[in-house]
Every structure is written in C-alpha cells, then in structure tokens.
Amino acid sequence: MKFGRVFGFVFFIMFFCAAFTSSIGATEGLVAHLRDEWRVDRRLATFMVVGAAALIGILAALSADAFSILGLVSTYSLVIGGLLMTVFVGWVWPIERFLEEAHIGSPLLRRLWVIDVRYVIPSAIVLVLLQQLGVL
C-alpha cells in the first residue's frame, strides 16, 4: 500500500488520543467522589487516582505472569465489579436517594426499577459468573 505508513501513523495517533481522553473520563468519577465525600483538593485527588492506577499498571507490567493476571482480571473482574455495584445500589445505598439521582418519577417505574436492581440484575450477573467459571 502506497500510503500504508501514513495511514498507520495517523491511526495510532488517533488511537492514542481516544485512549487518553477516555482515561480522563474514567478518572473523573473517582476524583469527583474524593472531592465531594472526602473534601480532597482536586489536584491532590487527581494525583491520588492517577498515581494508584499507574502503580497498579507498573506492578502488573513487572509481574512475571502479567498476561495471565490480566486475563483473570478481564475475565472475572468486570462481572464481579458489576455484581458489587448492583448490590451496592440495590441494598446499601438508600434506594430513595438513588431514585432521586436517576430522576425516576413514575411510581410504576420506581417499583420495577427496585425489583430489577435488587433481584433481576444480580441474578443475571451471578448466572454469567457461574457460566464463566464453568459451573453452568
């Protein structure tokens, strides 16, 4: 291909920009939580979040079994993280506060949402986890 190197260069520059801007968006939630709940300065909160992510990344990269660890993380952590978030929203966080944050006003939608978040979604996630573990 005549312009293969140019297209490859442009592609990877665009890929880097997409990854960089996504990482900014990914850290924003944690930084906002540190600012709102723990009253940490924005710069310090950003340093804490990015520093923790860099430390975890460096440790994973220096590990002899980095690829096997990353395989386990990508296989199970998303499912377990989703289950933990669902359990937190359904059972730990006050459900009225969640419904206010989500701006769900209809009484029917409120009841359906509570049933989904407390019972249906965790059950579905557990089924996915059991399937990944080879039990099902």
Side-chain angles (χ1 to χ4, degrees), residues 21-43:
T21 56
S22 295
S23 67
I24 291 171
T27 60
E28 182 57 34
L30 293 171
V31 170
H33 174 75
L34 289 172
R35 290 187 68 213
D36 293 343
E37 299 297 325
W38 293 5
R39 305 289 184 228
V40 177
D41 179 59
R42 182 173 187 79
R43 287 184 182 186

Side-chain angles (χ1 to χ4, degrees), residues 33-89:
H33 174 75
L34 289 172
R35 290 187 68 213
D36 293 343
E37 299 297 325
W38 293 5
R39 305 289 184 228
V40 177
D41 179 59
R42 182 173 187 79
R43 287 184 182 186
L44 178 61
T46 304
F47 179 76
M48 289 168 55
V49 170
V50 171
L55 181 64
I56 292 169
I58 289 169
L59 291 175
L62 294 177
S63 171
D65 296 326
F67 293 111
S68 64
I69 290 171
L70 293 175
L72 287 174
V73 168
S74 66
T75 302
Y76 300 112
S77 69
L78 291 174
V79 178
I80 293 171
L83 180 62
L84 291 174
M85 282 188 269
T86 304
V87 168
F88 177 78
V89 169

Side-chain angles (χ1 to χ4, degrees), residues 89 96 111 113 124:
V89 169
E96 285 303 317
R111 275 184 261 141
W113 187 257

